Amino acid sequence: MTSFEGFRCTDCGATVDEEGSTACPACGGVLDASYDLAGVSLDRESFEEREGAWGHRELLPLVPSGMGEGETPLVAAPRLADELGVETLHVKDEGHNPTGSVTDRGMALVAAAADRGGADTLALATTGNGGQSAAAYAARAGLLSRVFVPSRATFVNKAMINVHGGDMRVVEGRFDDAHESYETEREELPAADEETWFPAGAFDSPYRHEGAKPVYYEAVEALEWSVPDAVVVPVAHGAVVAGVWKAARELERLGLTERTPRVFAAQPEGCAPVVEAVESGDDPAPWDVPDTVVGTLEVPDPAGGLPAVEAVRASGGTGVAVDDEDALDTAATVAQHEGLEISVACGVAAAGAWQLREDGELAADDTVLLVNTGAGSKDADVVRSRLMGRGM
Ligand SMILES: [Zn+2]
């Protein structure tokens, strides 16, 4: 049923058809699933008839059983649209996923691939949400999880990794410190018969970003096949922005939509390697001194930096960086004016949308899609602290 052909290395272009490959055997580069779209016959009606987040099986490398991820609500935000000065604004609310973040979509694929490949452990370094998700999906699949988080990860993330029975290493410092610790341990792993790790980090395998594609499929279907003018996405590792753009191109090539949206990458000013690369025209370079209260976006050297930058450029979009206070205030504004609980990462994207409107990148007749990557309640303390600091 699937039109899946195999994986292609995004760095050297090698094609890889061995099942179970996670990185390019030739160069270690990031793999991306490729499909024979000419052989896919999907019309809008058949697309709409499919049940569940993984109904579009022709466009997947494998179909996970999952635990209710995806099919998240697309919520209209008319007051914000008025304030922003655009035609319509919709929020794709990924906080409704099983562990409250968009990561669950890709993690369902990761867990299925790990199980099929005979691995017994999901392992990753994470800013937090990915670890919570990995611990949950490992538990679901009967696998172990080993999660390396920086000490600054949120209480909810750390607590829930424990609650799911994950083995958690809290590494003093930031994401890069956690990632270094993960790499060291991975290299020191004893013989594979003792413990077989499946890499569950973003772009450590071809699955996380592939799992983000339905975010866009579902949104466009809910908009009755009208393509938004702009999609504004908060960027950490780059999986969602790459997945959304890939999905947009697939729907266009299949003739289900007539065009693709402009895709905008939003990052905090204190850690904006993707935005900087989009603006400079160069490849992304590691961010020297990452410093933002938006911990989920504090990824100084994103594994999917290049795919993310290429997605934004190819779409005709651009990058936008906002300061932390602006992001927190905007998250509170969305909660107060629309009732929606968005993550502070989405606060970055929402504040970015305001900046893009001021810069003339968004127009008065635009329809705008904002991706809320996680549940607002996970970030309650940081937004509340900001409000109290302002005496509110
Ligand atoms: Zn390669």
Side-chain angles (χ1 to χ4, degrees), residues 9-14 24-29:
C9 176
T10 58
D11 290 350
C12 76
C24 175
C27 77

Side-chain angles (χ1 to χ4, degrees), residues 83-128:
E83 290 163 17
L84 181 57
V86 297
E87 183 71 27
T88 63
L89 177 66
H90 283 88
V91 177
K92 182 66 172 161
D93 195 353
E94 294 295 304
H96 286 251
N97 280 296
T99 78
S101 85
V102 66
T103 313
D104 290 338
R105 294 177 178 267
M107 202 61 75
L109 286 178
V110 166
D115 195 36
R116 191 178 66 179
D120 54 26
T121 304
L122 300 187
L124 77 165
T126 166
T127 56

Side-chain angles (χ1 to χ4, degrees), residues 168-229:
M168 179 169 65
R169 190 77 48 84
V170 178
V171 181
E172 197 57 44
R174 298 170 183 271
F175 174 74
D176 268 7
D177 301 296
H179 192 259
E180 197 179 314
S181 184
Y182 160 78
E183 288 289 356
T184 304
E185 189 123 342
R186 194 168 67 109
E187 281 157 21
E188 288 170 359
L189 263 190
D193 56 343
E194 286 193 30
E195 190 167 305
T196 314
W197 285 17
F198 190 93
F203 295 97
D204 285 346
S205 78
Y207 298 105
R208 287 264 298 263
H209 54 288
E210 198 67 17
K213 292 192 308 185
V215 169
Y216 182 80
Y217 302 153
E218 293 168 14
V220 168
E221 200 180 317
L223 292 169
E224 297 175 335
W225 301 97
S226 75
V227 172
D229 296 295

Side-chain angles (χ1 to χ4, degrees), residues 177-336:
D177 301 296
H179 192 259
E180 197 179 314
S181 184
Y182 160 78
E183 288 289 356
T184 304
E185 189 123 342
R186 194 168 67 109
E187 281 157 21
E188 288 170 359
L189 263 190
D193 56 343
E194 286 193 30
E195 190 167 305
T196 314
W197 285 17
F198 190 93
F203 295 97
D204 285 346
S205 78
Y207 298 105
R208 287 264 298 263
H209 54 288
E210 198 67 17
K213 292 192 308 185
V215 169
Y216 182 80
Y217 302 153
E218 293 168 14
V220 168
E221 200 180 317
L223 292 169
E224 297 175 335
W225 301 97
S226 75
V227 172
D229 296 295
V231 184
V232 188
V233 187
V235 174
H237 306 280
V240 179
V241 78
V244 160
W245 176 240
K246 189 175 182 184
R249 287 174 58 228
E250 286 172 349
L251 293 192
E252 188 193 36
R253 286 185 57 196
L254 289 168
L256 293 165
T257 55
E258 275 152 24
R259 61 192 182 98
T260 52
R262 296 175 77 202
V263 178
F264 296 90
Q267 294 190 301
E269 280 178 353
C271 187
V274 167
V275 172
E276 187 183 65
V278 169
E279 286 173 353
S280 70
D282 298 327
D283 286 353
W287 197 259
D288 279 341
V289 186
D291 183 19
T292 168
V293 298
V294 186
T296 48
L297 300 187
E298 201 184 70
V299 180
D301 187 13
L306 192 57
V309 168
E310 287 172 347
V312 171
R313 282 187 191 137
S315 78
T318 186
V320 60
V322 301
D323 73 35
D324 284 357
E325 286 72 22
D326 198 8
L328 300 183
D329 290 346
T330 306
T333 298
V334 173
Q336 291 169 12

